[in-house]
Amino acid sequence: MRDNAIILDELDTPAALPAGWGVHTEPGRYRVYRRADQAVFAHSAGPGSWKQFLHPPHRLIARLDADLNLEAAGDGPTPATGPSSQPPSSQPPQPDRPAAFLGVRGCDMAAIRILERVLGGDAYPDSAFAARCAGLFIVAANCTEPGGVCFCASMGTGPGVAAGYDLALTERIDDSGHRFLVEVGSAAGERILAELRSRPATQAEIADARAEVAAAAGRMGRSMPDADLRAVVRESRESPQWEDVASRCLTCGNCTMVCPTCFCTTTEDVTDLTGDHAERWERWASCFELDFSHVHGGSVRQSGESRYRQWLSHKLGTWYDQFGSSGCVGCGRCIAWCPAAIDLTAEMGRLVELREEADDGHR
Ligand code: SF4
Ligand code: SF4
């Protein structure tokens, strides 16, 4: 817990887990509350995602000194502040360390797989990203407490975690106590489990845990419309709905920052005051920034309308053409953290309605 939110950070002790905290979410709203039990995974997604570790917000790419000695930073340090707010760093690049992620939900597991396809695949893999993924140990957590903005069930990514984990936990608290059903997904997971105090689960415990996860699918706060979303966004290019959403959207880019799959970056060069030292940094960028589409002569997408349309059309449409899946995993972060309470499931619902009305008008 930090700043009234459940965040993702390095764990020094199990006591730092958010035991007994739950989360209420709705469009434009995220509030923690005290639960009656000490559950550690009974909360939906917070503002952070695993993207911040695999694809950091700021990254030093290279340094250049006055004698033109170039030093590639590789997978360099990830400071809390970025290139525009700090002088060139004097720290040496730090070697990467294998990481273990604890409590990865189904939606976020799907997001990690998407990042692997986008950044780690094809002809130009991002070697720094691949280095961070190497040796990754994933302890997944099947979701039993979906939030008000969650819709992973309608995106086919949760609430259970299907594959890709080393260990998967289902947290259970009842008259028998606080315990976890553990499923093993890899040899590494099996080795870790062998070091823990455990016993074989009974068939009743397995059925009970599965039923709890299945019930969570019916308690999602919302769902994506059951329609051909690719066709909807493709055929809605001139829809008046884009103007409507633009009248509410602040083009702040929050939705892209919290999204676990948005991957765009830009590069910035900085020098110190003596001119003896320069650094090149990579930082997250957003398609809501005016200069994101800047080419010769100005920005291609000048209006908020065109920028929101670009974001949603890419997420739910052209992402399939590029990467073979939807770019949205249904985590709901962009809905909770939008200051204007814009909800992409509602926007898609309206686009579907308008398309159906147009079809009816043509009959
Ligand atoms: S949709 Fe919301 S979070 Fe995204 S840019 Fe607009 S106002 Fe910001
Ligand atoms: S678009 Fe919104 S709901 Fe979908 S993955 Fe990104 S943050 Fe989550």
Side-chain angles (χ1 to χ4, degrees), residues 248-256 288 308 334 337-340 342:
R248 292 169 276 134
C249 175
L250 309 173
T251 64
C252 65
N254 262 18
C255 45
T256 56
F288 283 92
Y308 188 87
C334 59
W337 296 94
C338 172
I342 293 170

Side-chain angles (χ1 to χ4, degrees), residues 151 259-260 311 315 327-334 344:
F151 57 100
C259 180
W311 180 67
K315 279 273 163 223
C328 174
V329 297
C331 72
R333 287 181 176 90
C334 59
L344 80 169

Side-chain angles (χ1 to χ4, degrees), residues 104-106 109-110 113 138 140 142 157 160-168 185:
V104 182
R105 308 300 200 277
M109 184 68 85
R113 297 284 100 91
I138 294 183
N142 289 309
T157 60
V161 183
Y165 54 80
D166 295 288
L167 294 173

Side-chain angles (χ1 to χ4, degrees), residues 233-251:
V233 291
R234 189 175 57 240
E235 293 164 18
S236 300
R237 194 182 148 69
E238 305 303 331
S239 171
Q241 190 58 21
W242 303 120
E243 199 178 332
D244 183 277
V245 68
S247 71
R248 292 169 276 134
C249 175
L250 309 173
T251 64

